[in-house]
Amino acid sequence: MKQTKILPVLAVVLCLPGVVVRALHMLNGFDIGTGLPAAGDAWVWYFAALLVAAAVVYAVLSIPLRAANNLPFEQLLGTQSVGFRMAAVISGLLLLVGGVGYLYLTMTTGEEDAAGWAKALEIVYAAVTVLCGVCAIGLAKAQSSEMTEQSAKLTLVPLLWSCLHLLVNYRMTCVDPKLASFAFGLVADVILVLAFYNLACLLYGKPHPAWLAFFSAVTTTMAVSDMGGYGLSRLMGVTTPEWSEKMVLRGCLSVAACILLAAELFVLCRDHSTADISE
């Protein structure tokens, strides 16, 4: 299990080259005039290769956690760590503020020919985002003691939010001719759903901590690299392709959720024989 401790560190460290390569992809991979993908761009393959290589390493480092399938939730993720609490609260606050901001953008900006159900979906998404932030903060306290039936439900709202997040992101980008600039973020959102699903499974299904560790690491590296790379490219003066305010905010919300998953990953990959939860 010792090598597994490297997994959360690696998931965070590899975000740095991921951000740089993604920024270079944004810089070289799209036509300046139209924002459409440029023919013959190699950076998209470099970025994809980096993510695939990282995923293979994460898979190998996650395998030893299969031995922890029968450990209770309190031993797997119970912790008194101040660092975990800070990360969970920061994640929760970012989601809460981001949800309010998304609701404001939804109510004050409109899409041409947008159906009423689409706006209603975004309003629901914003509300669930706020609730997800509250649950993330709640997990900071719940995981420091024995989980009850009520506190266990805190893992279900992030799962619901991740599904809505993926649905809204796909609806807003699936017909966009510049889909290539959003594709990596969409894949990260799919893996985000799987990560929160496996978190909930620790309490409501058959536990697979190895899958939780793998998906949490992959989505963290992908989401941070994708959003960070776009931000870095903008600082470098790249103006195309330009994401909408809602798209940027949804990307930031993905990163906020990944802060919680990364914190859970650090707890999950510690030495379980010395768990720091109160007896």
Side-chain angles (χ1 to χ4, degrees):
M1 296 281 287
K2 290 184 178 180
Q3 68 268 29
T4 305
K5 294 181 180 180
I6 305 173
L7 178 57
V9 177
L10 202 59
V12 174
V13 169
L14 287 182
C15 290
L16 181 58
V19 167
V20 174
V21 177
R22 176 60 164 157
L24 290 171
H25 170 226
M26 299 295 287
L27 177 64
N28 299 287
F30 299 91
D31 182 77
I32 297 178
T34 64
L36 296 174
D41 170 54
W43 284 103
V44 63
W45 300 112
Y46 297 153
F47 186 51
L50 174 64
L51 295 177
V52 170
V56 171
V57 174
Y58 297 160
V60 172
L61 293 177
S62 298
I63 290 175
L65 284 170
R66 294 170 61 184
N69 283 356
N70 296 322
L71 291 180
F73 184 93
E74 287 78 12
Q75 192 169 347
L76 281 172
L77 291 178
T79 180
Q80 296 282 357
S81 170
V82 175
F84 170 79
R85 291 185 182 183
M86 288 181 60
V89 170
I90 290 172
S91 173
L93 290 175
L94 290 174
L95 286 166
L96 200 157
V97 173
V100 173
Y102 198 88
L103 179 61
Y104 172 78
L105 289 177
T106 300
M107 301 304 294
T108 56
T109 60
E111 301 174 67
E112 293 184 4
D113 302 322
W117 67 265
K119 187 170 185 178
L121 175 64
E122 290 195 273
I123 292 173
V124 172
Y125 166 70
V128 174
T129 301
V130 172
L131 187 57
C132 182
V134 173
C135 288
I137 296 172
L139 282 171
K141 180 180 179 180
Q143 289 182 217
S144 65
S145 59
E146 186 175 353
M147 296 291 286
T148 65
E149 182 179 350
Q150 295 301 317
S151 58
K153 294 178 181 178
L154 294 173
T155 61
L156 298 178
V157 176
L159 174 58
L160 172 61
W161 170 82
S162 64
C163 294
L164 284 172
H165 180 70
L166 175 60
L167 179 61
V168 171
N169 247 350
Y170 179 75
R171 190 200 73 80
M172 298 287 284
T173 59
C174 64
V175 295
D176 196 315
K178 303 171 187 176
L179 179 61
S181 70
F182 310 130
F184 289 107
L186 285 174
V187 175
D189 289 338
V190 172
I191 302 174
L192 184 67
V193 174
L194 295 172
F196 278 123
Y197 169 76
N198 279 279
L199 177 62
C201 276
L202 294 181
L203 290 165
Y204 290 99
K206 187 175 181 180
H208 291 289
W211 283 118
L212 173 60
F214 172 72
F215 289 129
S216 295
V218 172
T219 193
T220 296
T221 301
M222 286 193 71
V224 174
S225 298
D226 182 57
M227 192 62 224
Y230 176 77
L232 180 59
S233 69
R234 301 292 289 182
L235 291 176
M236 295 168 64
V238 178
T239 57
T240 54
E242 184 176 4
W243 294 357
S244 67
E245 289 182 326
K246 285 185 177 180
M247 185 67 198
V248 172
L249 183 51
R250 289 195 302 272
C252 291
L253 289 173
S254 293
V255 174
C258 286
I259 293 175
L260 174 62
L261 289 174
E264 299 283 10
L265 184 61
F266 272 96
V267 176
L268 181 64
C269 293
R270 68 187 170 176
D271 184 356
H272 298 297
S273 64
T274 57
D276 59 348
I277 188 172
S278 298
E279 297 293 340

